[in-house]
Amino acid sequence: MNHNTQPKASHFINGAYVEDTSGTPIDVIYPATGEVIARIYAATPAVVDQALDAARTAQVEWAKMSGTERGRILRRAADLLRERNYDLSVLETLDTGKPLQETLVADATSGADALEYFGGLAGSLTGEHIQLGGGDFVYTIREPLGVCVGIGAWNYPTQIACWKGAPALACGNTMVFKPSETTPLCTLKVAEILHEAGLPAGVYNVVQGMGEVGASLVTDPRVAKVSLTGSVLTGKKVYAAAAAQMKHVTMELGGKSPLIIFDDADLEDAVGGAILGNFYSTGQVCSNGTRVFVQKGIKTAFLKRLKERVEAAIIGDPMDKAVNFGPMVSAAQLAITLGYINKGVEEGATLVTGGAQLDRDGFYIQPTVFADVSDDMSIAIEEIFGPVMSVLEFEDEAEVIRRANATEYGLAGGVFTSDLTRGHRVIAALEAGSCYINTYNLAPVEAPFGGVKMSGVGRENSKQAVEHYSQMKSVYVAMGPVDAPF
Ligand code: NAD
């Protein structure tokens, strides 16, 4: 490995790297080769305590700064992320295995977008004035929540660290962030850059570890809010633990989202949308439209074109900028995906293309498409979180809406049609938080992002995120004498 990936230390606390090798060692594996490229150590209880203490102490002064001052630091950090985009993209590729072609445009850049957006918003966060009768009035004060905990998944480590950190810090909170143990490197860089941009020590801290470190953060009484990106299973545990102390939560969880393609859709766009919604990041995207409902009249043409385009994917070394489909993140995730492919075949779906692991080092698998999938097959019900697309046939609009909504999940949904009215009508009927018409999977910072049903609680990005990282104090001001009954 030519790149210097070994982080300066495992944790970033109170403005500096911190090491404690008495924690459980965690090897960082480059998914493209299976090589160990770095070693970090899980946080011990003492390290967790140090991070929470730093965050609590720093929060008082951070909240006293004006929003404009806080925002200036976040915007400076955004500029640094953009200046160093190439190196950060290489690191993201080493952490996750995603092709450099993607990481150059989707990771540090989207993290920078969040820092810029919330940095810009920080100076204009306000309460309101509410006029009452008799001259009395109420004003509201927008207050930070306090110490917020961020817990990340492994698919977008830089982006998740910024999507949670930027609105939290803009509102005057401090953060302790625990990245996924599978991709621990990128978040340390985010912390380093934030501090280089002028962030006071203790405002953004990173501790490493597995689920138990996350759990110890969630249950700590110093913590006011927890924002998790992860699976539904973890979400249930974290939500329940947070509820025991009445903490605020944001839950960005899994999905099994429907992508509906009507006969009148533009064929190339629909195929492109299905590819974007299933194979970007080697299929490891929470909002993927993995149940592709295709109307009967366009099905044959759709499958033919889809097969041609999927088979044109350039699979290989993710550091090669021509490659557009890299390895999966880990041996474990690859095994899960292969298991689902076997189930798909066993349960009677038709394998259109792909299905096999590649005979090379690293965690490579072909992009896979199943047709003739029925609603009761495992591959149509369960989140795979790998590059496996299920194509399901439908006849009419009412039927497809009913089938699309027949899932416990509700993260995203999309429709391809040239009928404007139908596009809006179908989206209005979908039980999903993040929806698309004639495109799929774009997540600009300006738009709210998040799910309904089991896919989550709260929203990230947009002005909505501010509501999830602040609370209102309401102050009644009397302008006349007090009218007491006795
Ligand atoms: P995961 O649930 O296994 O882990 C997520 C994080 O939670 C990790 O950092 C893990 O260490 C931590 N964790 C595990 N148990 C915990 C506990 N008891 N208490 C506190 N923290 C704990 O998920 P993953 O495998 O890392 O990521 C894949 C999942 O994340 C998929 O379901 C995917 O859909 C979802 N995801 C959702 C979004 C979204 O924005 N909605 C984005 C990316 C991924």
Side-chain angles (χ1 to χ4, degrees):
M1 187 63 47
N2 296 324
H3 305 281
N4 182 11
T5 46
Q6 192 61 46
K8 290 182 189 143
S10 300
H11 320 289
F12 194 98
I13 298 172
N14 210 16
Y17 277 99
V18 170
E19 190 55 282
D20 180 353
T21 54
S22 64
T24 310
I26 300 172
D27 285 338
V28 185
I29 293 168
Y30 181 38
T33 61
E35 281 176 278
V36 174
I37 53 167
R39 167 168 280 196
I40 51 136
Y41 297 86
T44 57
V47 167
V48 169
D49 185 57
Q50 201 185 333
L52 288 170
D53 252 356
R56 191 169 59 167
T57 305
Q59 202 264 321
V60 179
E61 293 307 315
W62 180 242
K64 277 186 197 157
M65 284 168 68
S66 75
T68 305
E69 287 172 305
R70 289 198 298 267
R72 194 177 300 137
I73 295 168
L74 300 186
R75 287 185 291 107
R76 218 181 277 142
D79 292 344
L80 289 174
L81 277 171
R82 287 211 181 88
E83 272 169 31
R84 296 178 199 167
N85 183 41
Y86 188 84
D87 287 349
L88 293 169
S89 302
V90 168
L91 190 66
E92 176 95 16
T93 292
L94 288 165
D95 234 359
T96 63
K98 293 186 292 181
L100 197 56
Q101 192 188 93
E102 278 188 23
T103 54
L104 282 169
V105 296
D107 293 283
T109 52
S110 70
D113 285 352
L115 289 163
E116 188 171 17
Y117 178 86
F118 289 105
L121 218 54
S124 54
L125 300 177
T126 58
E128 61 179 342
H129 165 268
I130 304 157
Q131 190 62 53
L132 303 170
D136 289 6
F137 63 95
V138 166
Y139 65 93
T140 60
I141 305 171
R142 185 179 293 279
E143 294 180 337
L145 303 174
V147 176
C148 299
V149 160
I151 301 176
W154 42 256
N155 58 345
Y156 282 84
T158 304
Q159 183 186 82
I160 295 170
C162 295
W163 279 19
K164 296 188 190 309
L169 269 46
C171 293
N173 305 283
T174 54
M175 179 159 270
V176 177
F177 192 94
K178 190 202 83 65
S180 164
E181 56 273 30
T182 311
T183 54
L185 301 177
C186 295
T187 320
L188 291 168
K189 281 285 166 199
V190 171
E192 193 183 309
I193 287 173
L194 277 165
H195 286 81
E196 199 179 326
L199 198 71
V203 173
Y204 189 91
N205 309 276
V206 178
V207 296
Q208 308 285 356
M210 331 274 192
E212 69 259 23
V213 172
S216 74
L217 289 167
V218 174
T219 47
D220 194 285
R222 285 167 285 191
V223 172
K225 182 203 165 111
V226 181
S227 176
L228 168 79
T229 296
S231 60
V232 170
L233 192 66
T234 305
K236 283 184 190 173
K237 289 186 211 162
V238 171
Y239 199 177
Q245 292 173 32
M246 217 57 79
K247 290 176 186 180
H248 297 252
V249 296
T250 297
M251 294 281 146
E252 292 292 350
L253 309 177
K256 191 74 195 176
S257 302
L259 174 56
I260 303 170
I261 294 162
F262 285 96
D263 283 346
D264 63 356
D266 179 285
L267 182 64
E268 283 307 310
D269 281 349
V271 170
I275 288 173
L276 269 184
N278 280 272
F279 300 126
Y280 202 71
S281 303
T282 317
Q284 303 163 118
V285 180
C286 52
S287 48
N288 272 356
T290 45
R291 290 183 296 143
V292 181
F293 290 95
V294 182
Q295 204 167 15
K296 206 173 178 180
I298 199 177
K299 194 179 111 180
T300 306
F302 176 84
L303 284 174
K304 178 171 178 291
R305 216 27 214 133
L306 180 68
K307 181 173 157 65
E308 284 165 5
R309 284 181 63 176
V310 169
E311 288 174 358
I314 303 167
I315 310 175
D317 175 3
M319 291 297 174
D320 176 349
K321 281 195 210 158
V323 164
N324 52 27
F325 191 85
M328 297 203 67
V329 75
S330 63
Q333 202 59 33
L334 172 66
I336 291 170
T337 306
L338 286 167
Y340 274 108
I341 290 172
N342 286 339
K343 267 193 196 169
V345 172
E346 275 165 25
E347 293 179 11
T350 307
L351 189 61
V352 175
T353 184
Q357 183 177 357
L358 265 57
D359 182 19
R360 58 179 288 168
D361 287 342
F363 315 126
Y364 285 93
I365 187 173
Q366 295 170 318
T368 300
V369 177
F370 279 109
D372 306 315
V373 177
S374 58
D375 297 3
D376 57 353
M377 290 182 186
S378 312
I379 56 170
I381 297 171
E382 294 166 29
E383 184 186 44
I384 301 173
F385 221 59
V388 182
M389 182 196 300
S390 292
V391 175
L392 305 96
E393 184 185 300
F394 75 94
E395 295 204 12
D396 67 55
E397 187 180 314
E399 170 208 339
V400 78
I401 290 169
R402 179 180 50 73
R403 291 171 61 196
N405 286 337
T407 167
E408 64 170 4
Y409 294 111
L411 185 52
V415 55
F416 277 82
T417 177
S418 54
D419 179 340
L420 208 60
T421 322
R422 174 160 64 191
H424 294 292
R425 190 171 59 229
V426 171
I427 287 295
L430 285 186
E431 295 163 2
S434 298
C435 291
Y436 303 92
I437 299 179
N438 291 334
T439 188
Y440 204 81
N441 253 0
L442 304 174
V445 68
E446 296 87 348
F449 183 82
V452 302
K453 293 157 78 177
M454 295 301 274
S455 290
V457 173
R459 292 291 176 270
E460 295 200 296
N461 289 342
S462 80
K463 290 180 193 157
Q464 282 272 308
V466 168
E467 304 306 326
H468 298 291
Y469 282 103
S470 59
Q471 61 198 347
M472 287 301 191
K473 177 178 279 171
S474 154
V475 185
Y476 189 112
V477 181
M479 298 296 280
V482 173
D483 183 14
F486 53 84

